[in-house]
Amino acid sequence: MTGTPPRPGDFPVALSSAGIGLFWIIEAGGRVTYSTAGEVDGVTVFGRGVRMGVRVANGADEPVTLRALRIRAKWYPEYPPTLRYHKVALPVPAPPLPFDDGQPNVLLTEDVTDGVVTVRGTRCVLAPAGEADASRVIDATIEAAVSGLWGCHIEAEYTHAAAARVTSVPVGCLVLLRGK
Amino acid sequence: MVLGTVPERRRMEEQARTVGGALSLIDDILPAGQGVGVPDAAAGDPLTTASWVTVPDVGAVMAAMADRLAQETATRERTELPAVAESLRPRLPRIRTPYDVTEFAGRFEALVRSIEVAGRLGRLDEARELANLGAAFVLDGQPPQPETWISELAGNLYWSIASATARDSYYHQALDHYMAAGAAMRRAGLPSGTRRDHALWVTDLCLGLLEHRVPPRRRLIDLATTCLAEIGRAHAAERPVVRVTFAVARAAEDRAKLAELADPGFAGQEALTVGELRMAQALARMAGPADWKRVFGPFAAPIYAWCADVPHADAFTVFGELGTDEGLPTAGAGFQAVQAGQVTFAEDGCDELGTRGRRWVGRAAGQPDGGEDAYFVDGVRRPVRCAVPTAGMNSLARFARREDDEVPASVRFLFALGRACASDPSIGCQIDAMLRFFRGLDESVASEACGAILIGAVLDMLPLSTLGGYIAHLETGADHATALRRAVRRVPVAPVATVPVSSS
């Protein structure tokens, strides 16, 4: 690949946002929703976590295997102190159906302060462009498990023309977990 | 059962079709401020004429509530905090001014509060100036000093700076000073009760920071463990000591300490809730996944997740029931609900009658002796001895009667997990172990998941038409084998002789 610029056809998979929302979780018999915390450089900061829909679309004429969707995370222990979020809690009348308590499928821990986390359950085959299954929306519910500001970028790893490729979206999101 | 007047309910559901409409309904039901912070279903329920309102999207309503709260709080703080800052200014300590101890303590407290207020207002230069003023009184650039009082004030100063500047490292510096104060207390030979109170306080601070995920986690656990070691054996069984000891041992995965707490001979055990005691027993007893699997079989993952406070997906992976790159299936859209006062706001997939029944059974089960809230069937008083996970099973049983493609993916996954173990020779013991584990506990995601797995397992053991009977026999205290035998033979749940409720 050295010295050879990639052609558009080399990266047939496109990533885009299919909705972004506040983080919520059911704990201790209540549904707790976290507000946004402000903005940094015009980017909204979400409190404790974020719920994203990521659309993965195949633009090639042949099927593509999506091997993994990953969150590339960067942790900033120092952040503007005016960023603050609030939480609203209401009781739930009965426990939710199993696994519907809002648990994240991406947990940003001390192990990944400057690394990559794979979103569980994303491996699939995308049909050729133009077919019904050529795109898919994947839930990426991200929760910060370490206090600080987290920048998240999304990237997809897939196999195309028998070669592994990675494409990423430069625009991600910011998540804040405040120490106190 | 009174469901409220139908026209009123229709009116409310019409209004709740929009997020703004649902929000204004909740505002009408909840007194100002309720619904914020710790949920409390019992507090301040007003009388309402409809108790179940279907809404299109519970998440959207809650999100609107959260963002509105954030805006209101920001507006209020911008309005009120400058006045607070002004009122604190004359109470700040001044350099080269003599104060007696009491007055200085009060002035230093005002200083610490001023730093926090400046931080909230975003006046960071002012916060920094105030912090420097505080440092001039209690810090001399050296490591934490052994004088108790000065160390505590220095700790308070660092704590306020951490809060104002959002720099978590200052929390650790505050803790260093608090630890130094504790060491000074020991050297000074202060009474053990005083040292215990201080150690408990610092441990609580560490636990609070752990809860807020302040890194590094390991250091906070080590500090908390060191603090607890300062508390003499004479205090080990005291309620507050037991409670923080449990929290620290659980966070540290300290099986030896958990075993001490779970030992029936331990005098302080009643300080723990039934759930905490059950967690301590399980975590102390089970050395690894093989032990959990042997005792709880297909129920191991949800119980382990609950005890060890790990994500469900990780727990199912630990037990080999989910690949490392696989995600847990969810129910999908339409099954979320919240409670505002007496009114349930629910999406259209929720089971209205089932939810009502569960609240009712749950309340009855909360009376261990069957007290006045015990429930009656055909005029017969039935002591409820097992509402968890059977109440959940009653709700989930509806899915057992549907075609696979009409069952939420998460429930289908759990049914399949149970079905795969149905012929295992140990399954009976494992079901009984699971039922014993949950006896007396509140409903939870873990109990719900176990209920689904159990339904999956018994569907291969009895005709579907007898599933309700099986659950009813479990509910009244039968073990798995007895409930299965009685259900298959269609034995009705044995009536219990009516016993007058004692007024004493």
Side-chain angles (χ1 to χ4, degrees), chain B residues 280-295:
Chain B
Q281 288 165 338
L283 290 168
R285 189 171 148 210
M286 256 73 84
D291 283 350
W292 286 88
K293 195 80 181 168
R294 179 176 47 75
V295 174

Side-chain angles (χ1 to χ4, degrees), chain A residues 1 4-13 60 64 158-161 163-167:
Chain A
M1 294 286 290
T4 309
R7 295 162 300 166
D10 285 343
F11 301 99
V13 167
V64 161
Y158 57 94
T159 307
H160 175 240
R165 313 221 181 255
V166 174
T167 190

Side-chain angles (χ1 to χ4, degrees), chain B residues 70-100:
Chain B
Q71 284 168 13
E72 287 173 352
T73 307
T75 304
R76 195 176 58 244
E77 287 192 344
R78 274 198 304 272
T79 311
E80 295 174 0
L81 285 182
V84 174
E86 279 306 308
S87 71
L88 288 168
R89 206 178 301 278
R91 291 158 52 194
L92 298 178
R94 293 168 191 222
I95 298 285
R96 285 188 290 277
T97 304
Y99 300 111
D100 64 29

Side-chain angles (χ1 to χ4, degrees), chain A residues 21-167:
Chain A
L22 301 184
F23 183 78
W24 60 266
I25 195 160
I26 293 174
E27 50 189 12
R31 181 181 168 119
V32 188
T33 301
Y34 292 78
S35 73
T36 51
E39 289 187 353
V40 171
D41 296 336
V43 179
T44 302
V45 179
F46 289 83
R48 185 167 168 178
V50 66
R51 313 188 82 84
M52 297 180 76
V54 180
R55 185 180 301 283
V56 191
N58 180 16
D61 293 335
E62 61 272 9
V64 161
T65 301
L66 178 67
R67 294 166 58 160
L69 192 70
R70 292 187 295 242
I71 306 296
R72 189 166 288 281
K74 182 150 184 64
W75 178 59
Y76 303 93
E78 298 186 356
Y79 53 89
T82 48
L83 293 176
R84 286 181 186 273
Y85 53 84
H86 299 270
K87 58 182 182 180
V88 167
L90 284 180
V92 291
L97 284 178
F99 317 138
D100 265 19
D101 57 339
Q103 284 208 357
N105 54 8
V106 177
L107 203 56
L108 304 174
T109 64
E110 285 186 38
D111 297 334
V112 292
T113 46
D114 198 358
V116 171
V117 197
T118 300
V119 183
R120 280 171 167 265
T122 55
R123 193 181 175 89
C124 66
V125 175
L126 298 170
E131 294 188 15
D133 296 331
S135 74
R136 189 183 158 197
V137 175
I138 294 169
D139 161 58
T141 297
I142 303 168
E143 181 188 357
V146 178
S147 165
L149 184 66
W150 291 81
C152 302
H153 290 243
I154 303 156
E155 63 183 35
E157 181 188 324
Y158 57 94
T159 307
H160 175 240
R165 313 221 181 255
V166 174
T167 190

Side-chain angles (χ1 to χ4, degrees), chain B residues 372-396:
Chain B
E372 291 184 31
D373 280 343
Y375 70 96
F376 291 78
V377 175
D378 298 332
V380 176
R381 182 168 178 265
R382 184 184 291 179
V384 184
R385 290 163 59 186
C386 182
V388 180
T390 44
M393 291 173 73
N394 277 316
S395 279
L396 292 162

